[in-house]
CSV table of all heavy atoms in Angstrom, one decimal:
chain,number,residue,atom,x,y,z
A,1,LEU,N,-53.9,119.4,-14.1
A,1,LEU,CA,-53.7,118.0,-14.3
A,1,LEU,C,-52.7,117.4,-13.3
A,1,LEU,O,-51.7,118.0,-13.0
A,1,LEU,CB,-53.1,117.7,-15.7
A,1,LEU,CG,-54.0,118.2,-16.9
A,1,LEU,CD1,-53.3,118.0,-18.2
A,1,LEU,CD2,-55.4,117.5,-16.9
A,2,SER,N,-53.1,116.3,-12.7
A,2,SER,CA,-52.3,115.7,-11.7
A,2,SER,C,-51.0,115.1,-12.2
A,2,SER,O,-51.0,114.3,-13.2
A,2,SER,CB,-53.2,114.6,-11.0
A,2,SER,OG,-52.3,113.8,-10.1
A,3,SER,N,-49.9,115.3,-11.5
A,3,SER,CA,-48.7,114.7,-11.9
A,3,SER,C,-48.6,113.2,-11.5
A,3,SER,O,-47.7,112.5,-11.9
A,3,SER,CB,-47.5,115.4,-11.2
A,3,SER,OG,-47.6,115.4,-9.8
A,4,GLU,N,-49.6,112.7,-10.8
A,4,GLU,CA,-49.7,111.3,-10.5
A,4,GLU,C,-50.2,110.6,-11.7
A,4,GLU,O,-49.9,109.4,-11.9
A,4,GLU,CB,-50.6,111.0,-9.3
A,4,GLU,CG,-50.0,111.6,-8.0
A,4,GLU,CD,-51.0,111.4,-6.9
A,4,GLU,OE1,-52.1,110.8,-7.1
A,4,GLU,OE2,-50.7,111.8,-5.8
A,5,ILE,N,-50.9,111.3,-12.6
A,5,ILE,CA,-51.5,110.6,-13.8
A,5,ILE,C,-50.8,111.1,-15.1
A,5,ILE,O,-50.5,110.3,-16.0
A,5,ILE,CB,-53.0,111.0,-13.9
A,5,ILE,CG1,-53.7,110.4,-12.7
A,5,ILE,CG2,-53.6,110.5,-15.2
A,5,ILE,CD1,-55.1,110.9,-12.5
A,6,TRP,N,-50.4,112.4,-15.1
A,6,TRP,CA,-49.9,113.0,-16.3
A,6,TRP,C,-48.4,113.3,-16.2
A,6,TRP,O,-48.0,113.8,-15.1
A,6,TRP,CB,-50.6,114.3,-16.6
A,6,TRP,CG,-52.0,114.1,-17.0
A,6,TRP,CD1,-53.1,114.0,-16.1
A,6,TRP,CD2,-52.5,113.9,-18.3
A,6,TRP,NE1,-54.3,113.8,-16.9
A,6,TRP,CE2,-54.0,113.7,-18.2
A,6,TRP,CE3,-52.0,113.9,-19.6
A,6,TRP,CZ2,-54.8,113.5,-19.3
A,6,TRP,CZ3,-52.8,113.6,-20.7
A,6,TRP,CH2,-54.2,113.4,-20.5
A,7,MET,N,-47.7,113.1,-17.2
A,7,MET,CA,-46.2,113.3,-17.3
A,7,MET,C,-45.9,114.4,-18.3
A,7,MET,O,-46.3,114.3,-19.5
A,7,MET,CB,-45.5,112.1,-17.7
A,7,MET,CG,-44.0,112.2,-17.8
A,7,MET,SD,-43.2,110.7,-18.4
A,7,MET,CE,-43.3,109.7,-16.9
A,8,PRO,N,-45.3,115.5,-17.9
A,8,PRO,CA,-44.9,116.6,-18.9
A,8,PRO,C,-43.6,116.2,-19.6
A,8,PRO,O,-42.7,115.7,-19.0
A,8,PRO,CB,-44.6,117.8,-18.0
A,8,PRO,CG,-44.2,117.2,-16.7
A,8,PRO,CD,-44.9,115.9,-16.5
A,9,LEU,N,-43.6,116.3,-20.9
A,9,LEU,CA,-42.5,115.9,-21.7
A,9,LEU,C,-42.2,116.9,-22.8
A,9,LEU,O,-43.1,117.5,-23.4
A,9,LEU,CB,-42.7,114.5,-22.4
A,9,LEU,CG,-42.8,113.3,-21.4
A,9,LEU,CD1,-43.4,112.1,-22.1
A,9,LEU,CD2,-41.5,113.0,-20.8
A,10,ALA,N,-41.0,117.0,-23.2
A,10,ALA,CA,-40.6,117.7,-24.5
A,10,ALA,C,-40.9,116.8,-25.6
A,10,ALA,O,-40.7,115.6,-25.6
A,10,ALA,CB,-39.1,118.1,-24.4
A,11,SER,N,-41.2,117.5,-26.8
A,11,SER,CA,-41.5,116.7,-28.0
A,11,SER,C,-40.4,115.9,-28.5
A,11,SER,O,-40.5,114.9,-29.2
A,11,SER,CB,-42.1,117.6,-29.1
A,11,SER,OG,-41.2,118.5,-29.4
A,12,SER,N,-39.1,116.3,-28.1
A,12,SER,CA,-37.9,115.6,-28.5
A,12,SER,C,-37.5,114.4,-27.6
A,12,SER,O,-36.5,113.8,-27.8
A,12,SER,CB,-36.8,116.6,-28.6
A,12,SER,OG,-36.5,117.2,-27.4
A,13,SER,N,-38.3,114.2,-26.5
A,13,SER,CA,-38.0,113.1,-25.6
A,13,SER,C,-38.0,111.8,-26.3
A,13,SER,O,-38.9,111.5,-27.2
A,13,SER,CB,-39.0,113.1,-24.4
A,13,SER,OG,-38.9,114.3,-23.7
A,14,ASN,N,-37.1,110.9,-25.9
A,14,ASN,CA,-37.1,109.6,-26.4
A,14,ASN,C,-37.3,108.6,-25.3
A,14,ASN,O,-36.4,108.4,-24.5
A,14,ASN,CB,-35.8,109.3,-27.1
A,14,ASN,CG,-35.8,108.0,-27.8
A,14,ASN,OD1,-36.8,107.3,-27.9
A,14,ASN,ND2,-34.6,107.6,-28.4
A,15,LEU,N,-38.4,107.9,-25.2
A,15,LEU,CA,-38.7,107.0,-24.1
A,15,LEU,C,-38.9,105.6,-24.7
A,15,LEU,O,-40.0,105.1,-24.9
A,15,LEU,CB,-40.0,107.4,-23.4
A,15,LEU,CG,-40.0,108.8,-22.9
A,15,LEU,CD1,-41.4,109.2,-22.4
A,15,LEU,CD2,-39.0,109.0,-21.7
A,16,CYS,N,-37.8,105.0,-25.0
A,16,CYS,CA,-37.8,103.7,-25.7
A,16,CYS,C,-38.7,102.7,-24.9
A,16,CYS,O,-38.5,102.5,-23.7
A,16,CYS,CB,-36.4,103.1,-25.8
A,16,CYS,SG,-35.5,103.9,-27.1
A,17,GLY,N,-39.6,102.1,-25.5
A,17,GLY,CA,-40.5,101.1,-24.9
A,17,GLY,C,-41.6,101.6,-24.0
A,17,GLY,O,-42.5,100.8,-23.7
A,18,ARG,N,-41.6,102.9,-23.8
A,18,ARG,CA,-42.7,103.4,-22.9
A,18,ARG,C,-43.9,103.7,-23.7
A,18,ARG,O,-43.9,104.1,-24.8
A,18,ARG,CB,-42.2,104.7,-22.3
A,18,ARG,CG,-43.1,105.4,-21.4
A,18,ARG,CD,-43.2,104.7,-20.1
A,18,ARG,NE,-44.3,105.1,-19.3
A,18,ARG,CZ,-44.3,106.0,-18.3
A,18,ARG,NH1,-43.1,106.5,-18.0
A,18,ARG,NH2,-45.3,106.3,-17.6
A,19,GLN,N,-45.1,103.3,-23.1
A,19,GLN,CA,-46.4,103.6,-23.8
A,19,GLN,C,-47.3,104.3,-22.9
A,19,GLN,O,-47.2,104.1,-21.7
A,19,GLN,CB,-47.0,102.2,-24.3
A,19,GLN,CG,-46.2,101.6,-25.4
A,19,GLN,CD,-47.0,100.5,-26.0
A,19,GLN,OE1,-47.6,99.7,-25.4
A,19,GLN,NE2,-46.9,100.4,-27.4
A,20,PHE,N,-48.2,105.0,-23.4
A,20,PHE,CA,-49.1,105.8,-22.7
A,20,PHE,C,-50.6,105.5,-23.1
A,20,PHE,O,-50.8,105.2,-24.3
A,20,PHE,CB,-48.9,107.3,-22.9
A,20,PHE,CG,-47.6,107.8,-22.4
A,20,PHE,CD1,-46.5,107.9,-23.2
A,20,PHE,CD2,-47.4,108.1,-21.0
A,20,PHE,CE1,-45.2,108.3,-22.7
A,20,PHE,CE2,-46.2,108.5,-20.5
A,20,PHE,CZ,-45.1,108.6,-21.4
A,21,GLU,N,-51.5,105.7,-22.2
A,21,GLU,CA,-52.9,105.5,-22.5
A,21,GLU,C,-53.5,106.7,-23.2
A,21,GLU,O,-54.4,106.6,-24.1
A,21,GLU,CB,-53.7,105.2,-21.2
A,21,GLU,CG,-53.7,103.8,-20.8
A,21,GLU,CD,-54.2,102.8,-21.8
A,21,GLU,OE1,-55.3,103.1,-22.4
A,21,GLU,OE2,-53.6,101.8,-22.1
A,22,HIS,N,-53.0,107.9,-22.8
A,22,HIS,CA,-53.5,109.2,-23.3
A,22,HIS,C,-52.3,110.1,-23.6
A,22,HIS,O,-51.5,110.2,-22.7
A,22,HIS,CB,-54.5,109.9,-22.4
A,22,HIS,CG,-55.7,109.1,-22.1
A,22,HIS,ND1,-56.8,108.9,-23.0
A,22,HIS,CD2,-56.1,108.3,-21.1
A,22,HIS,CE1,-57.7,108.1,-22.5
A,22,HIS,NE2,-57.3,107.8,-21.3
A,23,ILE,N,-52.3,110.7,-24.7
A,23,ILE,CA,-51.2,111.7,-25.1
A,23,ILE,C,-52.0,112.9,-25.6
A,23,ILE,O,-52.8,112.9,-26.5
A,23,ILE,CB,-50.3,111.2,-26.1
A,23,ILE,CG1,-49.4,110.0,-25.5
A,23,ILE,CG2,-49.4,112.3,-26.6
A,23,ILE,CD1,-48.5,109.4,-26.6
A,24,VAL,N,-51.6,114.1,-25.0
A,24,VAL,CA,-52.0,115.4,-25.6
A,24,VAL,C,-50.7,116.0,-26.1
A,24,VAL,O,-49.8,116.3,-25.4
A,24,VAL,CB,-52.6,116.3,-24.5
A,24,VAL,CG1,-52.9,117.6,-25.1
A,24,VAL,CG2,-53.9,115.6,-23.9
A,25,LEU,N,-50.7,116.1,-27.4
A,25,LEU,CA,-49.5,116.7,-28.1
A,25,LEU,C,-49.8,118.1,-28.6
A,25,LEU,O,-50.8,118.4,-29.3
A,25,LEU,CB,-49.2,115.8,-29.3
A,25,LEU,CG,-48.0,116.2,-30.2
A,25,LEU,CD1,-46.7,116.3,-29.3
A,25,LEU,CD2,-47.8,115.2,-31.3
A,26,ILE,N,-49.1,119.1,-28.0
A,26,ILE,CA,-49.4,120.5,-28.3
A,26,ILE,C,-48.5,121.0,-29.4
A,26,ILE,O,-47.3,121.0,-29.4
A,26,ILE,CB,-49.1,121.3,-27.0
A,26,ILE,CG1,-49.9,120.8,-25.9
A,26,ILE,CG2,-49.3,122.8,-27.3
A,26,ILE,CD1,-49.5,121.2,-24.5
A,27,ARG,N,-49.3,121.3,-30.5
A,27,ARG,CA,-48.6,121.8,-31.7
A,27,ARG,C,-48.0,123.2,-31.4
A,27,ARG,O,-48.6,124.0,-30.7
A,27,ARG,CB,-49.7,122.0,-32.8
A,27,ARG,CG,-49.3,122.5,-34.1
A,27,ARG,CD,-50.4,122.6,-35.1
A,27,ARG,NE,-51.0,121.3,-35.5
A,27,ARG,CZ,-52.2,120.9,-35.2
A,27,ARG,NH1,-53.0,121.6,-34.5
A,27,ARG,NH2,-52.5,119.7,-35.7
A,28,PRO,N,-46.8,123.5,-31.9
A,28,PRO,CA,-46.2,124.8,-31.7
A,28,PRO,C,-47.2,125.9,-32.2
A,28,PRO,O,-47.7,125.8,-33.4
A,28,PRO,CB,-45.0,124.8,-32.6
A,28,PRO,CG,-44.6,123.3,-32.7
A,28,PRO,CD,-46.0,122.6,-32.7
A,29,HIS,N,-47.5,126.9,-31.4
A,29,HIS,CA,-48.5,127.9,-31.8
A,29,HIS,C,-47.8,129.2,-32.2
A,29,HIS,O,-48.5,130.2,-32.4
A,29,HIS,CB,-49.4,128.1,-30.6
A,29,HIS,CG,-50.4,127.0,-30.4
A,29,HIS,ND1,-50.1,126.0,-29.5
A,29,HIS,CD2,-51.5,126.7,-31.0
A,29,HIS,CE1,-51.1,125.1,-29.6
A,29,HIS,NE2,-52.0,125.5,-30.4
A,30,TRP,N,-46.5,129.2,-32.2
A,30,TRP,CA,-45.8,130.5,-32.6
A,30,TRP,C,-45.4,130.3,-34.1
A,30,TRP,O,-45.7,129.3,-34.7
A,30,TRP,CB,-44.5,130.7,-31.8
A,30,TRP,CG,-43.7,129.5,-31.7
A,30,TRP,CD1,-42.7,129.2,-32.5
A,30,TRP,CD2,-43.8,128.4,-30.8
A,30,TRP,NE1,-42.1,128.0,-32.2
A,30,TRP,CE2,-42.8,127.4,-31.1
A,30,TRP,CE3,-44.6,128.1,-29.7
A,30,TRP,CZ2,-42.6,126.2,-30.5
A,30,TRP,CZ3,-44.4,126.9,-29.1
A,30,TRP,CH2,-43.4,126.0,-29.4
A,31,TRP,N,-44.9,131.4,-34.6
A,31,TRP,CA,-44.6,131.4,-36.0
A,31,TRP,C,-43.5,130.3,-36.3
A,31,TRP,O,-42.5,130.2,-35.7
A,31,TRP,CB,-44.0,132.7,-36.5
A,31,TRP,CG,-43.7,132.8,-37.9
A,31,TRP,CD1,-42.4,132.7,-38.4
A,31,TRP,CD2,-44.6,132.8,-39.0
A,31,TRP,NE1,-42.6,132.8,-39.8
A,31,TRP,CE2,-43.9,132.8,-40.2
A,31,TRP,CE3,-46.0,133.0,-39.1
A,31,TRP,CZ2,-44.5,132.9,-41.4
A,31,TRP,CZ3,-46.6,133.0,-40.3
A,31,TRP,CH2,-45.8,133.0,-41.5
A,32,THR,N,-43.8,129.4,-37.3
A,32,THR,CA,-42.9,128.4,-37.6
A,32,THR,C,-42.6,128.4,-39.1
A,32,THR,O,-43.5,128.9,-39.9
A,32,THR,CB,-43.4,126.9,-37.3
A,32,THR,OG1,-44.7,126.8,-38.0
A,32,THR,CG2,-43.7,126.8,-35.8
A,33,SER,N,-41.5,127.9,-39.5
A,33,SER,CA,-41.1,127.9,-40.9
A,33,SER,C,-41.8,126.7,-41.5
A,33,SER,O,-42.3,125.8,-40.8
A,33,SER,CB,-39.6,127.8,-41.1
A,33,SER,OG,-39.2,126.5,-40.7
A,34,PRO,N,-41.9,126.7,-42.9
A,34,PRO,CA,-42.5,125.5,-43.5
A,34,PRO,C,-41.8,124.2,-43.1
A,34,PRO,O,-42.4,123.2,-43.0
A,34,PRO,CB,-42.4,125.8,-45.0
A,34,PRO,CG,-42.4,127.3,-45.1
A,34,PRO,CD,-41.7,127.7,-43.8
A,35,GLY,N,-40.5,124.3,-43.0
A,35,GLY,CA,-39.7,123.1,-42.6
A,35,GLY,C,-40.0,122.6,-41.2
A,35,GLY,O,-40.2,121.4,-41.0
A,36,GLU,N,-40.2,123.5,-40.2
A,36,GLU,CA,-40.6,123.2,-38.9
A,36,GLU,C,-42.0,122.6,-38.9
A,36,GLU,O,-42.3,121.6,-38.2
A,36,GLU,CB,-40.5,124.4,-38.0
A,36,GLU,CG,-39.1,124.8,-37.7
A,36,GLU,CD,-39.0,126.2,-37.1
A,36,GLU,OE1,-39.9,127.0,-37.4
A,36,GLU,OE2,-38.1,126.4,-36.3
A,37,PHE,N,-42.9,123.2,-39.6
A,37,PHE,CA,-44.3,122.6,-39.7
A,37,PHE,C,-44.3,121.2,-40.3
A,37,PHE,O,-44.9,120.3,-39.7
A,37,PHE,CB,-45.1,123.6,-40.7
A,37,PHE,CG,-46.5,123.1,-40.9
A,37,PHE,CD1,-47.5,123.4,-40.0
A,37,PHE,CD2,-46.8,122.3,-42.0
A,37,PHE,CE1,-48.8,123.0,-40.1
A,37,PHE,CE2,-48.2,121.9,-42.1
A,37,PHE,CZ,-49.1,122.2,-41.2
A,38,ASN,N,-43.5,121.0,-41.4
A,38,ASN,CA,-43.4,119.7,-41.9
A,38,ASN,C,-42.7,118.7,-41.0
A,38,ASN,O,-43.2,117.5,-40.9
A,38,ASN,CB,-42.6,119.7,-43.3
A,38,ASN,CG,-43.4,120.3,-44.4
A,38,ASN,OD1,-44.7,120.4,-44.3
A,38,ASN,ND2,-42.7,120.9,-45.3
A,39,HIS,N,-41.7,119.1,-40.2
A,39,HIS,CA,-41.1,118.3,-39.3
A,39,HIS,C,-42.1,117.8,-38.2
A,39,HIS,O,-42.1,116.6,-37.8
A,39,HIS,CB,-39.9,119.0,-38.6
A,39,HIS,CG,-39.3,118.2,-37.5
A,39,HIS,ND1,-38.5,117.1,-37.7
A,39,HIS,CD2,-39.4,118.3,-36.2
A,39,HIS,CE1,-38.1,116.6,-36.5
A,39,HIS,NE2,-38.6,117.3,-35.6
């Protein structure tokens, strides 16, 4: 994926006012607790 089009971000990033046309959100694929899953 081109960095001219796509921006890599951490799920905890806070980008006030920023909007995107497309977002791919990667769900954690490792073992998570019920609290982390709910969060």
Side-chain angles (χ1 to χ4, degrees):
L1 300 176
S2 169
S3 60
E4 293 176 2
I5 299 170
W6 293 90
M7 177 184 288
L9 295 166
S11 60
S12 60
S13 299
N14 187 4
L15 303 170
C16 288
R18 182 70 193 263
Q19 292 192 320
F20 295 96
E21 279 299 312
H22 300 283
I23 293 176
V24 175
L25 182 56
I26 300 164
R27 181 183 288 115
H29 290 92
W30 52 92
W31 182 257
T32 59
S33 70
E36 291 168 325
F37 179 84
N38 288 336
H39 173 75

